[in-house]
Protein backbone atom coordinates (compact mmCIF):
# COMPACT_ATOMS: atom_id res chain seq x y z
CA UNK A 1 0.00 0.00 0.00
CA UNK A 2 1.40 3.38 -0.99
CA UNK A 3 0.99 6.59 0.96
CA UNK A 4 -2.21 8.49 0.24
CA UNK A 5 -1.87 11.63 -1.84
CA UNK A 6 -1.86 14.72 0.38
CA UNK A 7 -3.53 17.90 -0.81
CA UNK A 8 -3.59 21.21 1.01
CA UNK A 9 -6.68 23.32 0.31
CA UNK A 10 -5.43 26.89 0.46
CA UNK A 11 -6.53 30.38 -0.50
CA UNK A 12 -7.80 33.72 0.65
CA UNK A 13 -10.19 33.81 3.57
CA UNK A 14 -13.88 33.19 2.87
CA UNK A 15 -13.45 31.81 -0.65
CA UNK A 16 -15.02 28.46 0.22
CA UNK A 17 -12.12 26.20 1.19
CA UNK A 18 -14.01 24.44 3.95
CA UNK A 19 -17.05 24.29 1.68
CA UNK A 20 -14.99 22.59 -1.03
CA UNK A 21 -13.90 19.97 1.46
CA UNK A 22 -17.48 19.35 2.52
CA UNK A 23 -18.52 18.78 -1.06
CA UNK A 24 -15.56 16.60 -2.01
CA UNK A 25 -15.95 14.44 1.09
CA UNK A 26 -19.80 14.51 0.95
CA UNK A 27 -19.71 15.42 4.60
CA UNK A 28 -22.09 18.20 5.61
CA UNK A 29 -20.59 18.24 9.09
CA UNK A 30 -16.96 18.84 8.11
CA UNK A 31 -15.39 21.89 9.77
CA UNK A 32 -17.17 25.15 10.18
CA UNK A 33 -18.55 27.21 7.31
CA UNK A 34 -19.65 30.79 7.64
CA UNK A 35 -20.11 33.90 5.55
CA UNK A 36 -17.73 35.66 7.92
CA UNK A 37 -14.00 35.64 7.17
CA UNK A 38 -11.42 33.80 9.31
CA UNK A 39 -13.74 30.97 10.24
CA UNK A 40 -11.23 28.15 9.99
CA UNK A 41 -8.46 28.64 12.53
CA UNK A 42 -6.63 25.30 12.35
CA UNK A 43 -5.60 22.74 9.82
CA UNK A 44 -8.07 19.87 9.64
CA UNK A 45 -7.84 16.80 7.42
CA UNK A 46 -10.26 14.38 5.80
CA UNK A 47 -9.47 11.15 4.07
CA UNK A 48 -11.01 9.49 1.03
CA UNK A 49 -10.63 5.73 0.80
CA UNK A 50 -11.59 3.10 -1.73
CA UNK A 51 -12.14 -0.47 -0.52
CA UNK A 52 -10.63 0.51 2.81
CA UNK A 53 -7.47 1.84 1.23
CA UNK A 54 -6.83 5.53 1.90
CA UNK A 55 -6.13 7.23 -1.43
CA UNK A 56 -6.41 10.91 -0.77
CA UNK A 57 -6.00 13.21 2.20
CA UNK A 58 -7.42 16.69 1.95
CA UNK A 59 -6.32 19.34 4.43
CA UNK A 60 -8.41 22.40 5.13
CA UNK A 61 -6.35 25.42 6.16
CA UNK A 62 -7.05 28.87 7.61
CA UNK A 63 -7.66 31.58 5.04
CA UNK A 64 -4.82 33.89 4.04
CA UNK A 65 -5.50 37.46 5.04
CA UNK A 66 -2.44 39.60 4.72
CA UNK A 67 -0.28 38.17 1.96
CA UNK A 68 0.98 41.61 0.94
CA UNK A 69 2.60 42.18 4.32
CA UNK A 70 3.92 38.62 4.40
CA UNK A 71 5.50 38.93 0.97
CA UNK A 72 7.18 42.17 2.07
CA UNK A 73 8.44 40.46 5.15
CA UNK A 74 9.75 37.46 3.20
CA UNK A 75 11.62 39.76 0.81
CA UNK A 76 13.33 41.44 3.73
CA UNK A 77 14.50 38.10 5.12
CA UNK A 78 17.28 37.91 2.56
CA UNK A 79 20.62 39.21 3.70
CA UNK A 80 22.52 41.60 1.40
CA UNK A 81 23.88 39.80 -1.61
CA UNK A 82 21.86 36.66 -0.81
CA UNK A 83 19.49 35.03 -3.29
CA UNK A 84 17.30 32.40 -1.63
CA UNK A 85 14.88 30.27 -3.57
CA UNK A 86 11.25 30.02 -2.44
CA UNK A 87 11.47 27.01 -0.13
CA UNK A 88 14.71 28.22 1.48
CA UNK A 89 13.16 31.61 2.16
CA UNK A 90 10.05 30.02 3.65
CA UNK A 91 12.20 27.73 5.76
CA UNK A 92 13.90 30.73 7.27
CA UNK A 93 10.55 32.42 7.86
CA UNK A 94 9.04 29.37 9.54
CA UNK A 95 11.95 29.12 11.94
CA UNK A 96 11.71 32.75 12.96
CA UNK A 97 9.57 34.30 15.65
CA UNK A 98 7.12 36.09 13.34
CA UNK A 99 5.85 32.72 12.19
CA UNK A 100 4.57 32.21 15.72
CA UNK A 101 3.21 35.71 16.19
CA UNK A 102 2.11 38.13 13.52
CA UNK A 103 1.97 35.54 10.75
CA UNK A 104 0.84 32.59 12.81
CA UNK A 105 -2.13 31.74 10.57
CA UNK A 106 -0.11 32.10 7.37
CA UNK A 107 2.59 29.85 8.81
CA UNK A 108 0.05 27.08 9.41
CA UNK A 109 -0.97 27.22 5.77
CA UNK A 110 2.58 27.20 4.46
CA UNK A 111 3.64 24.32 6.72
CA UNK A 112 0.70 22.28 5.51
CA UNK A 113 1.42 22.99 1.87
CA UNK A 114 5.09 22.09 2.38
CA UNK A 115 3.96 18.80 3.92
CA UNK A 116 1.60 18.03 1.02
CA UNK A 117 2.08 16.77 -2.51
CA UNK A 118 0.16 19.66 -4.01
CA UNK A 119 -2.22 22.48 -3.24
CA UNK A 120 -5.71 23.34 -4.38
CA UNK A 121 -5.80 27.13 -4.56
CA UNK A 122 -9.44 28.10 -4.08
CA UNK A 123 -10.68 31.31 -5.69
CA UNK A 124 -13.93 33.18 -5.28
CA UNK A 125 -14.50 33.71 -9.00
CA UNK A 126 -16.84 36.63 -8.32
CA UNK A 127 -13.94 38.69 -7.00
CA UNK A 128 -11.87 40.94 -9.27
CA UNK A 129 -8.24 39.88 -9.61
CA UNK A 130 -6.67 42.08 -6.94
CA UNK A 131 -3.01 42.55 -6.09
CA UNK A 132 -3.46 40.73 -2.80
CA UNK A 133 -4.34 37.52 -4.64
CA UNK A 134 -1.26 37.77 -6.85
CA UNK A 135 0.88 38.21 -3.74
CA UNK A 136 -0.83 35.24 -2.14
CA UNK A 137 -0.02 33.10 -5.14
CA UNK A 138 3.57 34.26 -5.08
CA UNK A 139 3.94 33.36 -1.39
CA UNK A 140 2.33 29.97 -1.98
CA UNK A 141 4.44 29.31 -5.08
CA UNK A 142 7.46 29.67 -2.79
CA UNK A 143 6.60 26.25 -1.35
CA UNK A 144 7.67 24.69 -4.63
CA UNK A 145 4.58 22.49 -4.80
CA UNK A 146 2.24 22.16 -7.77
CA UNK A 147 -0.81 24.39 -7.36
CA UNK A 148 -4.14 23.73 -9.03
CA UNK A 149 -6.41 26.78 -9.01
CA UNK A 150 -10.05 25.94 -8.31
CA UNK A 151 -12.43 28.63 -9.55
CA UNK A 152 -15.20 28.39 -7.00
CA UNK A 153 -18.63 30.08 -7.24
CA UNK A 154 -18.86 29.56 -11.00
CA UNK A 155 -22.60 28.90 -10.69
CA UNK A 156 -22.95 32.54 -9.72
CA UNK A 157 -23.87 34.87 -12.59
CA UNK A 158 -21.29 37.42 -11.39
CA UNK A 159 -18.31 35.17 -11.82
CA UNK A 160 -15.27 36.57 -13.64
CA UNK A 161 -13.84 33.42 -15.11
CA UNK A 162 -12.11 34.99 -18.15
CA UNK A 163 -10.33 37.59 -16.01
CA UNK A 164 -9.08 34.92 -13.65
CA UNK A 165 -7.98 32.64 -16.46
CA UNK A 166 -5.90 35.39 -17.95
CA UNK A 167 -4.37 36.48 -14.64
CA UNK A 168 -3.50 32.89 -13.68
CA UNK A 169 -1.94 32.24 -17.07
CA UNK A 170 0.29 35.29 -16.59
CA UNK A 171 1.47 33.69 -13.36
CA UNK A 172 2.27 30.47 -15.17
CA UNK A 173 -0.83 28.60 -13.97
CA UNK A 174 -2.48 27.27 -17.09
CA UNK A 175 -4.53 24.40 -15.73
CA UNK A 176 -7.54 25.28 -13.62
CA UNK A 177 -10.77 23.68 -12.55
CA UNK A 178 -14.22 25.28 -12.48
CA UNK A 179 -16.23 24.36 -9.45
CA UNK A 180 -19.04 25.42 -7.18
CA UNK A 181 -19.27 23.87 -3.75
CA UNK A 182 -22.97 24.61 -3.43
CA UNK A 183 -24.05 23.60 -6.95
CA UNK A 184 -21.12 21.54 -8.27
CA UNK A 185 -20.97 20.89 -12.02
CA UNK A 186 -21.89 17.29 -12.76
CA UNK A 187 -18.38 16.40 -13.86
CA UNK A 188 -16.69 18.84 -11.45
CA UNK A 189 -15.12 16.26 -9.19
CA UNK A 190 -13.92 14.11 -12.05
CA UNK A 191 -12.30 17.08 -13.78
CA UNK A 192 -10.64 18.14 -10.58
CA UNK A 193 -9.04 14.74 -10.09
CA UNK A 194 -8.14 14.44 -13.77
CA UNK A 195 -6.39 17.82 -13.69
CA UNK A 196 -4.51 16.74 -10.59
CA UNK A 197 -3.44 13.56 -12.31
CA UNK A 198 -1.86 15.70 -15.04
CA UNK A 199 0.06 17.72 -12.46
CA UNK A 200 1.08 14.70 -10.39
CA UNK A 201 1.93 11.87 -12.71
CA UNK A 202 2.70 9.39 -9.92
CA UNK A 203 -0.71 9.89 -8.41
CA UNK A 204 -2.49 9.01 -11.66
CA UNK A 205 -3.50 5.44 -10.80
CA UNK A 206 -4.82 6.38 -7.35
CA UNK A 207 -6.78 9.30 -8.74
CA UNK A 208 -8.27 7.16 -11.48
CA UNK A 209 -9.37 4.61 -8.89
CA UNK A 210 -11.02 7.40 -6.97
CA UNK A 211 -12.80 8.64 -10.09
CA UNK A 212 -14.05 5.15 -10.97
CA UNK A 213 -15.21 4.49 -7.43
CA UNK A 214 -17.11 7.74 -7.26
CA UNK A 215 -18.81 7.02 -10.56
CA UNK A 216 -19.80 3.54 -9.33
CA UNK A 217 -21.16 5.02 -6.14
CA UNK A 218 -23.13 7.62 -8.03
CA UNK A 219 -24.83 4.91 -10.07
CA UNK A 220 -25.49 2.78 -7.01
CA UNK A 221 -27.06 5.74 -5.21
CA UNK A 222 -29.27 6.49 -8.18
CA UNK A 223 -30.49 2.93 -8.29
CA UNK A 224 -31.19 2.84 -4.56
CA UNK A 225 -33.02 6.16 -4.82
CA UNK A 226 -35.28 4.85 -7.55
CA UNK A 227 -36.00 1.84 -5.46
CA UNK A 228 -37.05 3.98 -2.52
CA UNK A 229 -39.44 5.89 -4.77
CA UNK A 230 -40.79 2.68 -6.30
CA UNK A 231 -41.48 1.32 -2.80
CA UNK A 232 -43.39 4.46 -1.92
CA UNK A 233 -45.49 4.30 -5.07
CA UNK A 234 -46.21 0.62 -4.70
CA UNK A 235 -47.21 1.09 -1.07
CA UNK A 236 -49.64 3.82 -2.00
CA UNK A 237 -51.04 2.13 -5.09
CA UNK A 238 -51.68 -1.12 -3.28
CA UNK A 239 -53.20 0.54 -0.26
CA UNK A 240 -56.85 -0.33 0.14
CA UNK A 241 -58.93 0.06 3.23
CA UNK A 242 -62.46 -1.06 3.87
CA UNK A 243 -64.81 1.42 5.47
CA UNK A 244 -68.45 1.25 6.51
CA UNK A 245 -70.59 3.37 4.22
CA UNK A 246 -71.49 5.84 6.89
CA UNK A 247 -70.39 9.50 6.89
CA UNK A 248 -68.60 9.65 10.28
CA UNK A 249 -66.68 6.42 9.69
CA UNK A 250 -65.79 7.51 6.17
CA UNK A 251 -64.48 10.87 7.32
CA UNK A 252 -62.33 9.20 9.91
CA UNK A 253 -60.93 6.65 7.50
CA UNK A 254 -60.18 9.35 4.95
CA UNK A 255 -58.31 11.44 7.52
CA UNK A 256 -56.35 8.42 8.69
CA UNK A 257 -55.33 7.39 5.19
CA UNK A 258 -54.26 10.91 4.28
CA UNK A 259 -52.17 11.06 7.39
CA UNK A 260 -50.56 7.72 6.63
CA UNK A 261 -49.76 8.63 3.03
CA UNK A 262 -48.21 11.93 4.10
CA UNK A 263 -46.07 10.13 6.62
CA UNK A 264 -45.13 7.53 4.09
CA UNK A 265 -43.93 10.27 1.75
CA UNK A 266 -41.96 11.87 4.55
CA UNK A 267 -40.28 8.52 5.18
CA UNK A 268 -39.23 8.39 1.55
CA UNK A 269 -37.89 11.95 1.73
CA UNK A 270 -35.84 11.09 4.78
CA UNK A 271 -34.50 7.91 3.25
CA UNK A 272 -33.45 9.82 0.13
CA UNK A 273 -31.75 12.49 2.23
CA UNK A 274 -29.88 9.84 4.13
CA UNK A 275 -28.89 8.02 0.95
CA UNK A 276 -27.40 11.24 -0.44
CA UNK A 277 -25.80 12.09 2.92
CA UNK A 278 -27.87 15.18 3.62
CA UNK A 279 -29.61 16.15 6.80
CA UNK A 280 -33.22 15.77 7.70
CA UNK A 281 -33.68 19.52 7.94
CA UNK A 282 -32.49 20.00 4.36
CA UNK A 283 -35.94 19.09 3.07
CA UNK A 284 -39.29 18.19 4.43
CA UNK A 285 -42.05 16.59 2.41
CA UNK A 286 -44.52 19.06 3.87
CA UNK A 287 -42.59 22.02 2.57
CA UNK A 288 -41.02 20.87 -0.64
CA UNK A 289 -41.45 23.98 -2.70
CA UNK A 290 -43.22 23.61 -5.97
CA UNK A 291 -43.52 25.87 -8.95
CA UNK A 292 -42.15 29.40 -8.94
CA UNK A 293 -41.00 29.23 -5.37
CA UNK A 294 -44.56 28.74 -4.20
CA UNK A 295 -44.97 26.29 -1.41
CA UNK A 296 -47.11 23.27 -1.91
CA UNK A 297 -47.94 22.62 1.67
CA UNK A 298 -50.20 19.70 1.27
CA UNK A 299 -50.13 16.59 -0.79
CA UNK A 300 -53.92 16.53 -0.93
CA UNK A 301 -54.42 20.16 -1.63
CA UNK A 302 -56.07 20.44 -5.08
CA UNK A 303 -53.98 23.54 -5.66
CA UNK A 304 -50.78 21.52 -5.17
CA UNK A 305 -51.91 19.07 -7.79
CA UNK A 306 -52.90 21.81 -10.19
CA UNK A 307 -49.62 23.67 -9.72
CA UNK A 308 -47.71 20.62 -10.75
CA UNK A 309 -49.95 20.26 -13.76
CA UNK A 310 -50.96 16.77 -12.79
CA UNK A 311 -54.08 15.59 -14.53
CA UNK A 312 -56.86 15.72 -12.01
CA UNK A 313 -59.42 13.03 -11.60
CA UNK A 314 -57.56 10.16 -13.19
CA UNK A 315 -59.43 7.78 -10.95
CA UNK A 316 -62.80 9.11 -11.98
CA UNK A 317 -62.03 8.85 -15.65
CA UNK A 318 -60.62 5.36 -15.32
CA UNK A 319 -63.56 4.23 -13.24
CA UNK A 320 -66.09 5.69 -15.61
CA UNK A 321 -64.38 4.23 -18.64
CA UNK A 322 -64.55 0.80 -17.10
CA UNK A 323 -68.23 1.31 -16.59
CA UNK A 324 -68.06 0.77 -12.87
CA UNK A 325 -69.15 4.19 -11.77
CA UNK A 326 -67.57 6.02 -8.92
CA UNK A 327 -69.27 6.95 -5.72
CA UNK A 328 -67.12 9.74 -4.54
CA UNK A 329 -63.81 11.41 -5.14
CA UNK A 330 -62.47 13.03 -2.06
CA UNK A 331 -59.47 15.11 -2.99
CA UNK A 332 -56.80 12.58 -3.73
CA UNK A 333 -58.50 9.55 -2.29
CA UNK A 334 -61.07 7.45 -4.01
CA UNK A 335 -63.93 6.08 -2.08
CA UNK A 336 -65.91 3.49 -3.86
CA UNK A 337 -65.64 1.22 -6.81
CA UNK A 338 -62.95 3.02 -8.77
CA UNK A 339 -60.19 0.91 -7.35
CA UNK A 340 -61.98 -2.23 -8.28
CA UNK A 341 -62.47 -0.90 -11.77
CA UNK A 342 -58.83 0.05 -11.88
CA UNK A 343 -57.84 -3.47 -10.98
CA UNK A 344 -59.96 -4.89 -13.74
CA UNK A 345 -58.77 -2.32 -16.25
CA UNK A 346 -55.21 -3.07 -15.23
CA UNK A 347 -55.72 -6.67 -16.25
CA UNK A 348 -54.87 -7.91 -12.80
CA UNK A 349 -57.97 -9.81 -11.91
CA UNK A 350 -57.49 -11.58 -8.66
CA UNK A 351 -58.98 -14.88 -7.77
CA UNK A 352 -62.71 -15.04 -8.04
CA UNK A 353 -62.88 -15.56 -4.32
CA UNK A 354 -61.16 -12.33 -3.52
CA UNK A 355 -63.15 -10.43 -6.10
CA UNK A 356 -66.37 -11.96 -4.86
CA UNK A 357 -65.77 -11.09 -1.24
CA UNK A 358 -65.09 -7.49 -2.09
CA UNK A 359 -68.20 -7.27 -4.15
CA UNK A 360 -70.10 -8.77 -1.25
CA UNK A 361 -68.62 -6.17 1.04
CA UNK A 362 -69.80 -3.45 -1.25
CA UNK A 363 -73.27 -4.85 -1.31
CA UNK A 364 -73.30 -5.05 2.45
CA UNK A 365 -72.59 -1.34 2.77
CA UNK A 366 -68.82 -1.52 2.77
CA UNK A 367 -66.75 0.85 0.73
CA UNK A 368 -63.15 0.86 -0.21
CA UNK A 369 -60.76 3.67 0.24
CA UNK A 370 -57.78 3.90 -2.11
CA UNK A 371 -55.17 6.45 -3.07
CA UNK A 372 -56.06 8.19 -6.28
CA UNK A 373 -53.86 8.10 -9.39
CA UNK A 374 -53.45 11.87 -9.09
CA UNK A 375 -51.67 11.47 -5.80
CA UNK A 376 -49.46 8.71 -7.19
CA UNK A 377 -48.46 11.04 -10.02
CA UNK A 378 -47.71 13.83 -7.61
CA UNK A 379 -45.67 11.57 -5.35
CA UNK A 380 -43.67 10.25 -8.28
CA UNK A 381 -42.99 13.74 -9.59
CA UNK A 382 -42.05 15.21 -6.24
CA UNK A 383 -39.74 12.43 -5.18
CA UNK A 384 -38.02 12.24 -8.55
CA UNK A 385 -37.48 15.96 -8.47
CA UNK A 386 -36.10 15.72 -4.99
CA UNK A 387 -33.66 13.10 -6.17
CA UNK A 388 -32.50 15.29 -9.05
CA UNK A 389 -32.03 18.16 -6.60
CA UNK A 390 -30.02 15.97 -4.24
CA UNK A 391 -27.82 14.73 -7.06
CA UNK A 392 -26.92 18.30 -7.99
CA UNK A 393 -26.53 19.58 -4.46
CA UNK A 394 -23.11 20.15 -2.94
CA UNK A 395 -22.60 19.16 0.67
CA UNK A 396 -21.62 22.73 1.39
CA UNK A 397 -25.13 24.00 0.55
CA UNK A 398 -26.82 25.65 3.46
CA UNK A 399 -30.19 26.79 2.17
CA UNK A 400 -33.08 24.35 2.06
CA UNK A 401 -33.79 22.49 -1.13
CA UNK A 402 -35.80 24.24 -3.84
CA UNK A 403 -37.47 22.21 -6.50
CA UNK A 404 -38.00 23.43 -10.02
CA UNK A 405 -41.07 22.74 -12.08
CA UNK A 406 -40.77 19.30 -13.61
CA UNK A 407 -40.68 19.38 -17.39
CA UNK A 408 -41.36 15.75 -17.92
CA UNK A 409 -44.68 14.63 -19.27
CA UNK A 410 -44.78 10.91 -18.68
CA UNK A 411 -45.67 11.01 -15.00
CA UNK A 412 -47.89 14.04 -15.36
CA UNK A 413 -50.16 12.87 -18.10
CA UNK A 414 -49.10 9.52 -19.46
CA UNK A 415 -50.38 6.12 -18.55
CA UNK A 416 -49.22 5.01 -15.14
CA UNK A 417 -46.81 2.07 -15.15
CA UNK A 418 -48.30 -1.38 -15.35
CA UNK A 419 -46.76 -2.28 -11.98
CA UNK A 420 -48.98 0.24 -10.24
CA UNK A 421 -52.17 -1.13 -11.84
CA UNK A 422 -51.11 -4.57 -10.71
CA UNK A 423 -50.49 -3.25 -7.21
CA UNK A 424 -54.04 -1.95 -7.10
CA UNK A 425 -55.23 -5.52 -6.99
CA UNK A 426 -52.80 -6.61 -4.25
CA UNK A 427 -53.60 -4.89 -0.98
CA UNK A 428 -51.18 -7.18 0.82
CA UNK A 429 -48.29 -5.53 -1.06
CA UNK A 430 -48.78 -2.29 0.82
CA UNK A 431 -47.10 -1.60 4.14
CA UNK A 432 -49.92 0.87 4.71
CA UNK A 433 -52.29 -2.07 5.03
CA UNK A 434 -52.44 -4.40 7.97
CA UNK A 435 -50.99 -7.85 7.31
CA UNK A 436 -48.71 -6.66 4.52
CA UNK A 437 -46.59 -9.33 2.86
CA UNK A 438 -43.77 -7.42 1.29
CA UNK A 439 -41.48 -10.32 0.47
CA UNK A 440 -43.68 -11.89 -2.16
CA UNK A 441 -41.81 -12.68 -5.33
CA UNK A 442 -44.43 -11.05 -7.52
CA UNK A 443 -44.19 -7.82 -5.53
CA UNK A 444 -40.42 -7.82 -5.96
CA UNK A 445 -40.84 -8.36 -9.66
CA UNK A 446 -43.22 -5.44 -10.00
CA UNK A 447 -40.90 -3.32 -7.87
CA UNK A 448 -38.00 -4.05 -10.22
CA UNK A 449 -40.19 -3.21 -13.20
CA UNK A 450 -41.16 0.06 -11.60
CA UNK A 451 -37.53 0.97 -10.85
CA UNK A 452 -36.85 0.51 -14.56
CA UNK A 453 -39.58 3.01 -15.43
CA UNK A 454 -38.39 5.69 -13.05
N1 LIG B 1 -22.98 30.06 -3.62
C1 LIG B 1 -21.85 29.56 -3.15
N2 LIG B 1 -21.49 29.82 -1.89
C2 LIG B 1 -20.34 29.31 -1.43
C3 LIG B 1 -19.51 28.51 -2.25
N3 LIG B 1 -18.43 28.15 -1.52
C4 LIG B 1 -18.58 28.73 -0.31
N4 LIG B 1 -19.73 29.43 -0.25
C5 LIG B 1 -20.18 30.28 0.87
O1 LIG B 1 -19.12 31.18 1.15
C6 LIG B 1 -18.97 31.39 2.53
C7 LIG B 1 -17.55 31.03 2.99
O2 LIG B 1 -17.38 29.64 2.90
P1 LIG B 1 -16.29 28.85 3.77
O3 LIG B 1 -16.26 27.47 3.26
O4 LIG B 1 -16.48 29.07 5.21
O5 LIG B 1 -14.97 29.63 3.29
P2 LIG B 1 -13.48 29.40 3.78
O6 LIG B 1 -12.61 29.70 2.62
O7 LIG B 1 -13.30 28.09 4.42
O8 LIG B 1 -13.35 30.59 4.86
P3 LIG B 1 -12.28 30.75 6.05
O9 LIG B 1 -12.22 29.48 6.78
O10 LIG B 1 -12.88 31.85 6.85
O11 LIG B 1 -11.01 31.15 5.40
C8 LIG B 1 -20.04 30.57 3.20
O12 LIG B 1 -21.15 31.41 3.44
C9 LIG B 1 -20.37 29.52 2.16
O13 LIG B 1 -21.71 29.07 2.28
C10 LIG B 1 -19.92 28.24 -3.60
O14 LIG B 1 -19.26 27.54 -4.38
N5 LIG B 1 -21.09 28.80 -3.98
MG1 LIG C 1 -12.76 27.61 6.29
Amino acid sequence: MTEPLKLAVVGHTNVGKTSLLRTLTRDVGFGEVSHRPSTTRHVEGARLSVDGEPLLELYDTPGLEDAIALLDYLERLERPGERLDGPARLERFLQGSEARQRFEQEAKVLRQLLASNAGLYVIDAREPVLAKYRDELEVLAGCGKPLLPVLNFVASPQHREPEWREALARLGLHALVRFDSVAPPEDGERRLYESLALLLEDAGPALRRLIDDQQAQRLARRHSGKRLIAELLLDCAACRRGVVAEPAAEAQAIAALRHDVRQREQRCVEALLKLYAFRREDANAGDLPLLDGRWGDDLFNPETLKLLGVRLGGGVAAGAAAGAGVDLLVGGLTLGAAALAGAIAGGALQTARNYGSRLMGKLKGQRELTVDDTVLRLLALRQQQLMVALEGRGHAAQDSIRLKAPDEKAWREGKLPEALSKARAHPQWSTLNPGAKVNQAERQEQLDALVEEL
Side-chain angles (χ1 to χ4, degrees):
M1 197 162 82
T2 49
E3 278 278 291
L5 179 68
K6 289 187 170 59
L7 291 181
V9 178
V10 297
H12 199 71
T13 185
N14 222 20
V15 293
K17 297 179 293 300
T18 308
S19 298
L20 177 68
L21 256 112
R22 282 191 176 179
T23 298
L24 292 180
T25 56
R26 306 183 60 79
D27 180 356
V28 289
F30 181 88
E32 201 188 325
V33 164
S34 151
H35 61 279
R36 287 185 308 274
S38 307
T39 304
T40 303
R41 307 299 297 169
H42 304 284
V43 172
E44 194 183 339
R47 186 179 262 179
L48 295 180
S49 303
V50 173
D51 301 329
E53 187 181 339
L55 294 183
L56 181 64
E57 284 174 5
L58 292 156
Y59 291 92
D60 190 18
T61 64
L64 295 171
E65 281 167 60
D66 198 359
I68 298 183
L70 177 58
L71 191 60
D72 267 356
Y73 179 77
L74 289 175
E75 278 163 358
R76 280 186 279 113
L77 276 179
E78 278 170 3
R79 293 165 199 138
E82 201 176 34
R83 267 273 173 238
L84 295 179
D85 69 1
R89 213 162 60 166
L90 286 181
E91 208 49 55
R92 185 174 293 174
F93 158 65
L94 290 171
Q95 278 163 12
S97 61
E98 290 296 62
R100 287 187 300 276
Q101 292 162 20
R102 191 170 143 211
F103 297 116
E104 192 197 0
Q105 293 302 332
E106 285 79 0
K108 288 180 190 168
V109 181
L110 294 169
R111 278 199 197 95
Q112 189 55 52
L113 184 53
L114 284 168
S116 304
N117 300 97
L120 296 178
Y121 179 72
V122 184
I123 294 165
D124 179 347
R126 302 167 305 178
E127 283 280 296
V129 186
L130 302 173
K132 60 180 179 185
Y133 301 125
R134 288 199 203 93
D135 285 0
E136 241 165 47
L137 278 162
E138 191 174 334
V139 172
L140 294 168
C143 289
K145 302 285 175 167
L147 278 182
L148 178 63
V150 177
L151 270 190
N152 200 21
F153 285 92
V154 293
S156 154
Q158 300 108 322
H159 75 75
R160 299 165 181 255
E161 182 181 341
E163 249 173 82
W164 275 102
R165 271 188 190 276
E166 199 201 318
L168 291 166
R170 290 175 74 111
L171 292 167
L173 294 166
H174 298 276
L176 65 80
V177 181
R178 313 172 75 250
F179 207 78
D180 193 290
S181 307
V182 166
E186 204 184 318
D187 57 351
E189 245 166 296
R190 183 174 55 78
R191 280 174 182 267
L192 194 150
Y193 295 135
E194 278 172 358
S195 303
L196 270 175
L198 292 178
L199 285 182
L200 303 162
E201 225 173 290
D202 291 350
L207 288 165
R208 267 184 289 281
R209 263 184 79 192
L210 203 60
I211 292 171
D212 291 345
D213 180 68
Q214 297 201 330
Q215 173 66 3
Q217 286 193 29
R218 206 183 335 271
L219 293 177
R221 266 196 301 273
R222 189 171 291 174
H223 190 264
S224 305
K226 286 180 176 181
R227 210 171 165 88
L228 288 170
I229 300 175
E231 289 269 7
L232 166 72
L233 296 177
L234 211 67
D235 263 352
C236 293
C239 182
R240 177 197 301 280
R241 291 179 182 177
V243 53
V244 183
E246 184 261 306
E250 281 174 11
Q252 206 181 9
I254 287 169
L257 183 52
R258 281 185 178 174
H259 171 81
D260 292 353
V261 171
R262 271 196 211 99
Q263 281 212 322
R264 183 64 188 83
E265 188 196 21
Q266 179 63 31
R267 282 219 309 279
C268 182
V269 168
E270 281 170 23
L272 282 173
L273 287 169
K274 190 161 165 229
L275 176 68
Y276 282 87
F278 288 104
R279 282 173 300 212
R280 209 180 154 172
E281 54 272 27
D282 286 333
N284 193 302
D287 54 37
L288 287 181
L290 297 169
L291 296 179
D292 309 325
R294 285 215 255 167
W295 295 70
D297 54 347
D298 189 344
L299 190 55
F300 297 99
N301 181 345
E303 201 55 26
T304 308
L305 301 171
K306 231 175 15 196
L307 273 175
L308 260 183
V310 170
R311 205 175 58 179
L312 269 163
V316 186
V326 174
D327 300 286
L328 204 57
L329 185 78
V330 277
L333 298 182
T334 304
L335 187 64
L340 202 56
I344 299 167
L349 260 181
Q350 277 217 292
T351 58
R353 186 165 49 91
N354 192 354
Y355 180 58
S357 76
R358 271 201 237 130
L359 213 56
M360 288 299 288
K362 254 192 83 61
L363 293 174
K364 278 192 292 195
Q366 279 271 334
R367 291 189 186 208
E368 281 179 328
L369 197 52
T370 51
V371 178
D372 203 64
D373 278 1
T374 330
V375 170
L376 297 183
R377 290 179 194 278
L378 178 62
L379 287 171
L381 283 167
R382 292 225 294 200
Q383 297 306 306
Q384 286 182 105
Q385 265 188 293
L386 175 61
M387 207 169 110
V388 170
L390 293 177
E391 280 187 353
R393 182 176 170 91
H395 289 73
Q398 296 191 306
D399 52 346
S400 65
I401 293 166
R402 316 215 124 238
L403 298 188
K404 289 196 214 79
D407 57 3
E408 72 99 50
K409 289 263 185 287
W411 279 93
R412 271 198 201 198
E413 299 160 12
K415 191 172 167 290
L416 286 177
E418 188 73 18
L420 293 179
S421 319
K422 288 231 169 79
R424 291 280 193 208
H426 294 273
Q428 73 281 15
W429 288 1
S430 173
T431 62
L432 297 174
N433 285 334
K437 293 197 196 78
V438 292
N439 288 325
Q440 287 188 340
E442 201 187 345
R443 181 180 187 275
Q444 294 302 324
E445 232 171 74
Q446 295 309 319
L447 201 61
D448 291 340
L450 196 50
V451 169
E452 288 303 310
E453 297 217 29
L454 283 166

